[in-house]
């Protein structure tokens, strides 16, 4: 049998734009504004939110990112996210396209162009286009991109009934890669896919010493039998801005948080499994209770009081703290 290959068209620039518009209409997205240092401005049509294929962030994963939240017309805790972004850039040997102040200003202006009062801001730094090699191309300009989008959404059930997680069979990233927020999320993606395939909501990485690591795009914490909030050390997992802020809030408001102390230390899996509560923490999930880990219930198998109290503390902080930047719409 002869297979007749379809003759492929050679496209014009308007064919390309029409193609991207068709793609977006088949799969609508909630992307409201996008800044690109390569385009030197902001676009609001998702069909135009593109970058050159030979940018090394695309074909070599040489790039980093971070995500912050827009809450009631203000950006929450951007400085902490920018701190981590700059640390990740340094560890990834990525040059900055402009100063921190200019990056902050671009983020704020892109948020304003979106017109949205609630949502997420994700921004990336790339090593730039110019070759298909590994090291940055000669003369490559680093790329800075900012996307204002609807944010990740999770089922209400996660908060009302709690999540079920499994210990992943995938190895945890080596510490240097885990503490760097680079665009290579393959282990994180595989962990989440594996969990969903097996009927769980998410996975948990365990380190080589048998201590708890983190989840796919969120940190993990526990409430011990004695009521202390315990969190793994940040030397081999991502330093979650949410975790760091919550540890601070819980320390300062132990009664409200319903905890008897706060500890950041190694947490052996055997100890973790005996805890009263297990929590997932992150910018997108905020604070959610885990009620089952592998085949074992956590505590009494119901969401506990600390997860609820910490969620309230965080939500209050996201609206009233001094870590808010007003967006000049
Ligand atoms: C691997 C990983 N761990 C933890 C977190 C939580 O970090 P944050 O609280 O800053 O969202 C994230 C999300 O950025 C993540 O990707």
């Amino acid at each position: 049998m002869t297979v007749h290959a379809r003759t492929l068209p050679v496209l014009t620039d308007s064919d390309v734009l029409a193609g991207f518009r068709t793609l977006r209409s088949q799969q609508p997205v909630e992307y409201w504004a996008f800044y690109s240092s390569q385009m030197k401005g902001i676009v609001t049509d998702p069909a135009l939110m593109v970058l050159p294929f030979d940018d090394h962030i695309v074909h070599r994963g040489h790039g980093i990112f971070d995500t912050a939240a827009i809450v009631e017309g203000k950006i929450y805790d951007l400085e902490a996210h920018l701190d981590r972004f700059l640390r990740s850039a340094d560890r990834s040997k990525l040059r900055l396209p402009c100063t921190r102040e200019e990056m902050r200003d671009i983020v704020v202006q892109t948020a304003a162009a979106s017109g949205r009062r609630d949502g997420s801001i994700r921004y990336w730094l790339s090593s730039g286009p110019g070759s298909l090699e590994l090291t940055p191309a000669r003369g490559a300009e680093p790329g800075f991109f900012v996307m204002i989008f609807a944010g990740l959404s999770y089922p209400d059930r996660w908060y009302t009934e709690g999540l079920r997680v499994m210990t992943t069979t995938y190895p945890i990233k080596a510490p240097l890669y885990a503490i760097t927020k680079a665009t290579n999320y393959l282990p994180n993606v595989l962990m989440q896919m594996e969990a969903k395939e097996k009927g769980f909501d998410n996975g948990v990485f365990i380190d080589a010493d048998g201590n708890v690591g983190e989840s796919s795009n969120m940190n993990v914490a526990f409430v011990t039998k004695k009521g202390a909030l315990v969190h793994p050390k940040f030397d081999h997992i991502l330093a979650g801005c949410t975790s760091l802020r919550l540890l601070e809030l819980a320390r300062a408001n132990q009664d409200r948080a319903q905890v008897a102390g706060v500890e950041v230390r190694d947490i052996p899996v055997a100890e973790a499994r005996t805890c009263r509560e297990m929590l997932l923490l992150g910018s997108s999930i905020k604070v959610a209770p885990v009620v089952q880990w592998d085949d074992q219930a956590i505590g009494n198998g119901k969401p506990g009081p600390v997860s609820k109290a910490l969620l309230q503390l965080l939500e209050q902080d996201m609206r009233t703290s001094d870590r808010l930047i007003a967006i000049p719409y």
Side-chain angles (χ1 to χ4, degrees), residues 84 181 185 188 214 216-219 238 240-242 282-283:
R84 186 170 66 188
K181 204 162 163 62
Y185 262 46
N188 314 54
E214 62 186 332
S216 56
N217 55 335
M218 41 194 90
N219 289 111
L238 194 74
C241 297
T242 317
S283 297

Side-chain angles (χ1 to χ4, degrees), residues 179-195:
I179 63 174
T180 305
K181 204 162 163 62
T183 48
N184 192 333
Y185 262 46
L186 185 60
N188 314 54
V189 169
L190 292 174
M191 168 164 77
Q192 207 175 78
M193 289 180 77
E194 176 187 47

